[in-house]
Amino acid sequence: WHERNMRRRHLSFVFSSSSSSSPSIALILKAVSAPRVRLLLTIQLFLSLGFQAFTAMFAAYCKRRFGFGQATYGNVLSFCGFVWASTQGVLVPWLNRSSALPDYQILRWATTSLCLGRLVLAAAYAWPWLLVGEVLVVVGAATSFTLLASETSKAVPAAVVGSVVGISAAIDSACGILVPPIMGHLFDIYGDASGALLSALCTAVGLLLVVAGLEPKGKEVAAAKSKQH
């Protein structure tokens, strides 16, 4: 009986310690309601809508517009994967180390590249232009989503970083569930350019939010000046 009682006390101590150290719902809601975090999550929403709007129909787009079979489509995906990995593994770290631009300005250029790439894909009827559009899109998307995650994690208290980044990932996942059925219907009605055009529209809204709303912070300006010297 004594041993069982001691074990119960130990378990209650462990649970009380873990619950006291875990962030409260109120702290998470307070972090999410901060103006900068709301803005970053809204940008994430529109970029995710744009990303899923075209990705959902990319296979059908390549088949109808270029007549790609499975092997050629697989090669295109491999090319996109290589560009994505190179951007996240090489380009973004290099920009953070050596660029005189602060993160918010890099995010502007990356979102612009993403939007232009969608417009190129909407107008592309030859495979070289497909690759050009995909390079613009993949470089822009890999840079934008990486920097958004970084900016979001820096904008919230350390105790709730995981929770807020999880909310950001949930926004992206929700877009991946809701958008494809809608885009499939629009693809059947308006043709193979519909996904790229709607994606460009959503990305343009995200770009406007980045340009108009994402103001530099003092630390970012100071970091940019230190890079210049």
Side-chain angles (χ1 to χ4, degrees):
W1 177 86
H2 178 71
E3 182 179 354
R4 190 185 308 117
N5 191 30
M6 291 296 294
R7 190 180 299 117
R8 288 176 179 173
R9 290 182 179 179
H10 174 70
L11 290 174
S12 63
F13 172 77
V14 170
F15 286 129
S16 62
S17 299
S18 61
S19 61
S20 61
S21 61
S22 61
S24 64
I25 299 298
L27 184 59
I28 296 172
L29 292 176
K30 181 180 179 181
V32 172
S33 63
R36 187 175 181 85
V37 179
R38 286 205 313 267
L39 175 63
L40 289 168
L41 293 179
T42 304
I43 295 171
Q44 170 78 39
L45 171 63
F46 280 100
L47 294 190
S48 295
L49 286 172
F51 188 80
Q52 296 295 339
F54 186 71
T55 304
M57 292 292 108
F58 186 55
Y61 163 87
C62 289
K63 176 66 176 178
R64 178 178 293 186
R65 183 165 289 195
F66 303 102
F68 286 169
Q70 293 182 356
T72 307
Y73 178 68
N75 292 334
V76 173
L77 291 183
S78 297
F79 172 77
C80 295
F82 173 77
V83 176
W84 185 286
S86 300
T87 302
Q88 286 192 322
V90 179
L91 179 60
V92 174
W94 178 79
L95 287 173
N96 285 331
R97 289 194 308 267
S98 60
S99 176
L101 295 176
D103 287 350
Y104 75 94
Q105 288 190 1
I106 298 175
L107 184 58
R108 290 179 181 180
W109 286 108
T111 312
T112 301
S113 173
L114 181 55
C115 189
L116 288 176
R118 297 304 190 195
L119 294 175
V120 170
L121 290 172
Y125 284 91
W127 68 264
W129 285 109
L130 167 68
L131 298 183
V132 170
E134 279 300 305
V135 168
L136 290 172
V137 165
V138 173
V139 170
T143 306
S144 297
F145 287 117
T146 301
L147 290 180
L148 273 176
S150 174
E151 288 296 307
T152 302
S153 64
K154 290 188 294 186
V156 299
V160 295
V161 167
S163 300
V164 177
V165 172
I167 293 173
S168 177
I171 291 173
D172 186 61
S173 298
C175 292
I177 295 172
L178 298 175
V179 172
I182 299 173
M183 290 313 306
H185 184 63
L186 295 178
F187 184 91
D188 291 335
I189 298 176
Y190 298 107
D192 51 25
S194 58
L197 291 175
L198 184 59
S199 177
L201 176 61
C202 294
T203 307
V205 175
L207 176 60
L208 289 175
L209 291 173
V210 171
V211 172
L214 199 59
E215 296 295 334
K217 296 188 296 185
K219 292 182 179 179
E220 292 176 338
V221 176
K225 291 182 178 179
S226 66
K227 288 180 181 179
Q228 294 176 343
H229 299 290

Short mmCIF file of all heavy atoms in Angstrom, two decimals, residues 19-55:
data_model
loop_
_atom_site.label_atom_id
_atom_site.label_comp_id
_atom_site.label_asym_id
_atom_site.label_seq_id
_atom_site.Cartn_x
_atom_site.Cartn_y
_atom_site.Cartn_z
N SER A 19 1.95 19.97 -16.81
CA SER A 19 0.85 20.88 -17.13
C SER A 19 1.23 22.32 -16.82
O SER A 19 0.83 23.24 -17.53
CB SER A 19 -0.41 20.48 -16.36
OG SER A 19 -0.18 20.56 -14.97
N SER A 20 2.04 22.52 -15.74
CA SER A 20 2.44 23.87 -15.41
C SER A 20 3.46 24.43 -16.38
O SER A 20 3.54 25.62 -16.61
CB SER A 20 3.01 23.91 -13.98
OG SER A 20 4.16 23.08 -13.90
N SER A 21 4.29 23.52 -16.99
CA SER A 21 5.30 23.98 -17.93
C SER A 21 4.77 24.12 -19.35
O SER A 21 5.39 24.77 -20.18
CB SER A 21 6.49 23.00 -17.94
OG SER A 21 6.07 21.73 -18.35
N SER A 22 3.63 23.49 -19.65
CA SER A 22 3.08 23.58 -21.00
C SER A 22 2.36 24.90 -21.18
O SER A 22 1.78 25.45 -20.25
CB SER A 22 2.12 22.42 -21.26
OG SER A 22 1.04 22.47 -20.35
N PRO A 23 2.41 25.46 -22.42
CA PRO A 23 1.74 26.75 -22.65
C PRO A 23 0.23 26.62 -22.53
O PRO A 23 -0.36 25.63 -22.97
CB PRO A 23 2.16 27.11 -24.07
CG PRO A 23 2.51 25.80 -24.71
CD PRO A 23 3.07 24.95 -23.61
N SER A 24 -0.42 27.64 -21.99
CA SER A 24 -1.86 27.63 -21.85
C SER A 24 -2.51 28.06 -23.15
O SER A 24 -1.89 28.66 -24.02
CB SER A 24 -2.29 28.58 -20.72
OG SER A 24 -1.95 29.90 -21.05
N ILE A 25 -3.79 27.71 -23.29
CA ILE A 25 -4.54 28.12 -24.46
C ILE A 25 -4.60 29.64 -24.56
O ILE A 25 -4.51 30.22 -25.66
CB ILE A 25 -5.97 27.54 -24.41
CG1 ILE A 25 -5.92 26.00 -24.39
CG2 ILE A 25 -6.78 28.03 -25.59
CD1 ILE A 25 -5.30 25.40 -25.63
N ALA A 26 -4.70 30.30 -23.42
CA ALA A 26 -4.76 31.76 -23.42
C ALA A 26 -3.49 32.37 -23.98
O ALA A 26 -3.52 33.36 -24.73
CB ALA A 26 -5.01 32.27 -21.99
N LEU A 27 -2.33 31.78 -23.64
CA LEU A 27 -1.06 32.29 -24.14
C LEU A 27 -0.95 32.08 -25.65
O LEU A 27 -0.45 32.95 -26.37
CB LEU A 27 0.10 31.60 -23.42
CG LEU A 27 1.51 32.09 -23.75
CD1 LEU A 27 1.63 33.57 -23.42
CD2 LEU A 27 2.55 31.28 -22.98
N ILE A 28 -1.43 30.93 -26.14
CA ILE A 28 -1.41 30.67 -27.58
C ILE A 28 -2.32 31.65 -28.31
O ILE A 28 -1.93 32.23 -29.34
CB ILE A 28 -1.83 29.22 -27.86
CG1 ILE A 28 -0.83 28.24 -27.25
CG2 ILE A 28 -1.95 28.97 -29.36
CD1 ILE A 28 -1.27 26.79 -27.31
N LEU A 29 -3.54 31.87 -27.78
CA LEU A 29 -4.47 32.81 -28.41
C LEU A 29 -3.92 34.23 -28.40
O LEU A 29 -4.11 34.99 -29.37
CB LEU A 29 -5.82 32.76 -27.69
CG LEU A 29 -6.61 31.45 -27.84
CD1 LEU A 29 -7.89 31.51 -27.00
CD2 LEU A 29 -6.95 31.19 -29.31
N LYS A 30 -3.25 34.59 -27.32
CA LYS A 30 -2.65 35.93 -27.25
C LYS A 30 -1.56 36.09 -28.30
O LYS A 30 -1.47 37.14 -28.96
CB LYS A 30 -2.07 36.16 -25.85
CG LYS A 30 -1.45 37.54 -25.67
CD LYS A 30 -0.90 37.70 -24.27
CE LYS A 30 -0.25 39.08 -24.11
NZ LYS A 30 0.31 39.27 -22.74
N ALA A 31 -0.76 35.05 -28.48
CA ALA A 31 0.31 35.11 -29.49
C ALA A 31 -0.27 35.20 -30.89
O ALA A 31 0.19 35.99 -31.73
CB ALA A 31 1.22 33.88 -29.36
N VAL A 32 -1.31 34.41 -31.17
CA VAL A 32 -1.91 34.39 -32.51
C VAL A 32 -2.63 35.70 -32.81
O VAL A 32 -2.72 36.12 -33.97
CB VAL A 32 -2.87 33.19 -32.63
CG1 VAL A 32 -3.66 33.25 -33.92
CG2 VAL A 32 -2.10 31.88 -32.55
N SER A 33 -3.16 36.36 -31.77
CA SER A 33 -3.91 37.60 -31.98
C SER A 33 -3.03 38.82 -32.15
O SER A 33 -3.52 39.90 -32.47
CB SER A 33 -4.87 37.83 -30.80
OG SER A 33 -4.14 37.99 -29.59
N ALA A 34 -1.71 38.67 -31.96
CA ALA A 34 -0.80 39.79 -32.18
C ALA A 34 -0.86 40.22 -33.65
O ALA A 34 -0.93 39.36 -34.54
CB ALA A 34 0.62 39.40 -31.79
N PRO A 35 -0.85 41.53 -33.94
CA PRO A 35 -1.03 42.01 -35.32
C PRO A 35 -0.03 41.39 -36.31
O PRO A 35 -0.42 40.99 -37.41
CB PRO A 35 -0.84 43.52 -35.21
CG PRO A 35 -1.22 43.84 -33.79
CD PRO A 35 -0.78 42.65 -32.99
N ARG A 36 1.24 41.30 -35.95
CA ARG A 36 2.24 40.77 -36.89
C ARG A 36 2.00 39.29 -37.15
O ARG A 36 2.14 38.83 -38.29
CB ARG A 36 3.65 40.99 -36.34
CG ARG A 36 4.75 40.62 -37.34
CD ARG A 36 6.12 40.96 -36.80
NE ARG A 36 7.17 40.65 -37.73
CZ ARG A 36 7.59 41.44 -38.71
NH1 ARG A 36 7.01 42.61 -38.90
NH2 ARG A 36 8.57 41.07 -39.52
N VAL A 37 1.63 38.55 -36.12
CA VAL A 37 1.38 37.11 -36.30
C VAL A 37 0.13 36.89 -37.13
O VAL A 37 0.10 36.03 -38.02
CB VAL A 37 1.27 36.41 -34.93
CG1 VAL A 37 0.98 34.92 -35.12
CG2 VAL A 37 2.55 36.60 -34.14
N ARG A 38 -0.92 37.68 -36.89
CA ARG A 38 -2.13 37.58 -37.72
C ARG A 38 -1.81 37.85 -39.18
O ARG A 38 -2.30 37.16 -40.08
CB ARG A 38 -3.20 38.58 -37.24
CG ARG A 38 -3.88 38.19 -35.95
CD ARG A 38 -5.27 38.84 -35.85
NE ARG A 38 -5.23 40.25 -36.20
CZ ARG A 38 -5.08 41.24 -35.33
NH1 ARG A 38 -4.93 40.96 -34.04
NH2 ARG A 38 -5.08 42.50 -35.73
N LEU A 39 -0.98 38.86 -39.42
CA LEU A 39 -0.59 39.19 -40.79
C LEU A 39 0.19 38.04 -41.43
O LEU A 39 -0.08 37.65 -42.57
CB LEU A 39 0.25 40.46 -40.81
CG LEU A 39 0.82 40.87 -42.17
CD1 LEU A 39 -0.29 41.18 -43.15
CD2 LEU A 39 1.75 42.06 -42.01
N LEU A 40 1.15 37.47 -40.70
CA LEU A 40 1.95 36.37 -41.24
C LEU A 40 1.08 35.15 -41.54
O LEU A 40 1.26 34.49 -42.57
CB LEU A 40 3.05 36.00 -40.25
CG LEU A 40 4.20 37.01 -40.11
CD1 LEU A 40 5.06 36.68 -38.89
CD2 LEU A 40 5.04 37.05 -41.37
N LEU A 41 0.13 34.85 -40.67
CA LEU A 41 -0.77 33.72 -40.92
C LEU A 41 -1.70 33.99 -42.09
O LEU A 41 -2.04 33.06 -42.84
CB LEU A 41 -1.57 33.40 -39.65
CG LEU A 41 -0.76 32.87 -38.45
CD1 LEU A 41 -1.68 32.64 -37.26
CD2 LEU A 41 -0.04 31.58 -38.81
N THR A 42 -2.12 35.24 -42.27
CA THR A 42 -2.97 35.58 -43.42
C THR A 42 -2.18 35.44 -44.72
O THR A 42 -2.71 34.95 -45.73
CB THR A 42 -3.51 37.01 -43.28
OG1 THR A 42 -4.20 37.14 -42.03
CG2 THR A 42 -4.47 37.34 -44.40
N ILE A 43 -0.92 35.89 -44.71
CA ILE A 43 -0.06 35.70 -45.88
C ILE A 43 0.11 34.22 -46.17
O ILE A 43 0.04 33.78 -47.33
CB ILE A 43 1.31 36.38 -45.65
CG1 ILE A 43 1.14 37.89 -45.54
CG2 ILE A 43 2.27 36.04 -46.79
CD1 ILE A 43 2.39 38.62 -45.09
N GLN A 44 0.33 33.44 -45.12
CA GLN A 44 0.44 31.98 -45.27
C GLN A 44 -0.81 31.40 -45.91
O GLN A 44 -0.73 30.54 -46.79
CB GLN A 44 0.67 31.34 -43.90
CG GLN A 44 0.59 29.83 -43.86
CD GLN A 44 1.83 29.17 -44.38
OE1 GLN A 44 2.93 29.64 -44.11
NE2 GLN A 44 1.70 28.07 -45.09
N LEU A 45 -1.98 31.89 -45.50
CA LEU A 45 -3.24 31.41 -46.05
C LEU A 45 -3.32 31.64 -47.56
O LEU A 45 -3.62 30.72 -48.33
CB LEU A 45 -4.40 32.08 -45.34
CG LEU A 45 -5.80 31.84 -45.94
CD1 LEU A 45 -6.17 30.35 -45.85
CD2 LEU A 45 -6.86 32.69 -45.23
N PHE A 46 -3.05 32.86 -48.00
CA PHE A 46 -3.19 33.17 -49.42
C PHE A 46 -2.12 32.49 -50.26
O PHE A 46 -2.40 32.03 -51.38
CB PHE A 46 -3.18 34.69 -49.63
CG PHE A 46 -4.49 35.33 -49.34
CD1 PHE A 46 -4.70 35.98 -48.14
CD2 PHE A 46 -5.53 35.28 -50.26
CE1 PHE A 46 -5.92 36.57 -47.85
CE2 PHE A 46 -6.76 35.87 -49.99
CZ PHE A 46 -6.95 36.51 -48.78
N LEU A 47 -0.89 32.39 -49.74
CA LEU A 47 0.13 31.68 -50.49
C LEU A 47 -0.19 30.19 -50.57
O LEU A 47 0.06 29.55 -51.61
CB LEU A 47 1.51 31.89 -49.85
CG LEU A 47 2.07 33.31 -49.90
CD1 LEU A 47 3.53 33.32 -49.45
CD2 LEU A 47 1.94 33.92 -51.28
N SER A 48 -0.74 29.62 -49.51
CA SER A 48 -1.12 28.21 -49.53
C SER A 48 -2.29 27.97 -50.48
O SER A 48 -2.32 26.96 -51.20
CB SER A 48 -1.49 27.74 -48.11
OG SER A 48 -0.38 27.79 -47.25
N LEU A 49 -3.25 28.89 -50.49
CA LEU A 49 -4.36 28.78 -51.45
C LEU A 49 -3.83 28.80 -52.88
O LEU A 49 -4.24 27.99 -53.72
CB LEU A 49 -5.35 29.93 -51.24
CG LEU A 49 -6.27 29.85 -50.02
CD1 LEU A 49 -7.04 31.16 -49.87
CD2 LEU A 49 -7.22 28.68 -50.11
N GLY A 50 -2.91 29.73 -53.15
CA GLY A 50 -2.34 29.80 -54.48
C GLY A 50 -1.52 28.57 -54.83
O GLY A 50 -1.58 28.07 -55.97
N PHE A 51 -0.76 28.08 -53.88
CA PHE A 51 0.08 26.90 -54.12
C PHE A 51 -0.78 25.68 -54.43
O PHE A 51 -0.53 24.95 -55.38
CB PHE A 51 0.97 26.65 -52.91
CG PHE A 51 2.00 25.58 -53.13
CD1 PHE A 51 3.17 25.86 -53.81
CD2 PHE A 51 1.80 24.29 -52.66
CE1 PHE A 51 4.13 24.88 -54.02
CE2 PHE A 51 2.75 23.31 -52.86
CZ PHE A 51 3.92 23.61 -53.55
N GLN A 52 -1.81 25.46 -53.64
CA GLN A 52 -2.67 24.29 -53.83
C GLN A 52 -3.56 24.43 -55.06
O GLN A 52 -3.91 23.43 -55.69
CB GLN A 52 -3.53 24.06 -52.58
CG GLN A 52 -2.75 23.73 -51.33
CD GLN A 52 -2.03 22.40 -51.42
OE1 GLN A 52 -2.38 21.54 -52.24
NE2 GLN A 52 -1.02 22.22 -50.59
N ALA A 53 -3.91 25.66 -55.43
CA ALA A 53 -4.80 25.86 -56.57
C ALA A 53 -4.19 25.34 -57.86
O ALA A 53 -4.89 24.81 -58.72
CB ALA A 53 -5.14 27.35 -56.72
N PHE A 54 -2.87 25.47 -58.00
CA PHE A 54 -2.24 24.97 -59.21
C PHE A 54 -1.69 23.56 -59.04
O PHE A 54 -1.79 22.73 -59.96
CB PHE A 54 -1.11 25.90 -59.65
CG PHE A 54 -0.50 25.51 -60.97
CD1 PHE A 54 -1.22 25.68 -62.14
CD2 PHE A 54 0.76 24.96 -61.04
CE1 PHE A 54 -0.68 25.32 -63.37
CE2 PHE A 54 1.31 24.60 -62.26
CZ PHE A 54 0.59 24.78 -63.42
N THR A 55 -1.13 23.27 -57.87
CA THR A 55 -0.55 21.94 -57.65
C THR A 55 -1.59 20.85 -57.78
O THR A 55 -1.29 19.74 -58.28
CB THR A 55 0.10 21.89 -56.25
OG1 THR A 55 1.06 22.94 -56.14
CG2 THR A 55 0.79 20.56 -56.01
#
